[in-house]
Amino acid sequence: MFNVGGRHVARLPFNFGGGGSGIVDWDGRDSDGDQLGNGTYLYRIEMDTPAGHIVSDMQRLVVMR
């Protein structure tokens, strides 16, 4: 996960359970254990396909408390 300035703030494990859905268990904290502030963050998911290719997608996450 990155802030909009491009600084890396966290790496989150992604568990794919099959069936078209996945779960990311996250407590809203960065890699240093500090709670992220309000704002827009970017995240990228990378997955291996059964054919051995890597696919990825980047999306926005808005944190508002």
Side-chain angles (χ1 to χ4, degrees):
M1 182 177 306
F2 305 88
N3 65 17
V4 292
R7 186 177 73 88
H8 182 261
V9 295
R11 178 176 293 272
L12 307 173
F14 176 72
N15 298 313
F16 181 66
S21 64
I23 297 173
V24 176
D25 188 22
W26 180 50
D27 62 1
R29 298 184 181 276
D30 65 14
S31 295
D32 295 327
D34 299 322
Q35 191 171 38
L36 288 181
N38 290 343
T40 301
Y41 297 86
L42 304 172
Y43 67 91
R44 181 178 66 215
I45 296 177
E46 294 181 349
M47 294 178 18
D48 294 323
T49 67
H53 297 81
I54 295 176
V55 295
S56 68
D57 190 23
M58 186 167 276
Q59 297 289 322
R60 286 183 305 264
L61 169 74
V62 177
V63 174
M64 296 184 341
R65 291 186 175 49

